[in-house]
Amino acid sequence: MDKRRLERIEQYIFALFRARGASRLLAKEIFDSTDEFANADLVRAFEDLEKKWRLLVRYTSEGNDWVSLTPEGAARANIDQPEDAEQPDALPHPPKSAT
């Protein structure tokens, strides 16, 4: 995928979190929020933000797929993340260079 396009999609994701004022969203909400980007492109952006930058975590809870910003991701999106915010048990994937 073109690096500039990936960056645009990642900026869109952060803007969506900022607009919703949340540090955690259902993946379905993100997919349904735009017709500009294909779901596969959004997933590529999730993977880049999770594996390379460690700015979000994807996980499943009670049958729902969630995307949650890490504290660093919330800071990048300019979202105040309450200290007692529910954090998933999942951790971001290690960077590819570590595997």
Side-chain angles (χ1 to χ4, degrees):
M1 170 180 278
D2 176 46
K3 189 175 184 175
R4 284 174 287 179
R5 179 167 171 76
L6 181 62
E7 288 174 3
R8 264 189 43 232
I9 296 168
E10 291 173 353
Q11 290 305 315
Y12 171 80
I13 292 169
F14 284 124
L16 183 62
F17 276 99
R18 194 170 28 259
R20 302 277 171 98
S23 62
R24 181 176 82 137
L25 294 172
L26 285 167
K28 182 179 179 358
E29 288 180 56
I30 299 171
F31 294 138
D32 291 346
S33 69
T34 183
D35 290 329
E36 182 179 356
F37 306 117
N39 289 358
D41 291 339
L42 289 165
V43 169
R44 286 183 194 95
F46 294 159
E47 289 174 354
D48 186 59
L49 291 169
E50 182 177 28
K51 295 177 183 177
K52 184 175 181 183
W53 302 108
R54 303 177 66 91
L55 297 174
L56 63 79
V57 177
R58 294 178 295 161
Y59 63 97
T60 302
S61 177
E62 297 179 12
N64 294 308
D65 293 324
W66 292 92
V67 177
S68 180
L69 297 174
T70 62
E72 295 83 9
R76 177 142 177 213
N78 296 321
I79 295 174
D80 293 328
Q81 189 175 40
E83 289 183 29
D84 63 342
E86 181 183 328
Q87 290 294 320
D89 292 334
L91 297 173
H93 289 286
K96 286 187 178 185
S97 62
T99 57

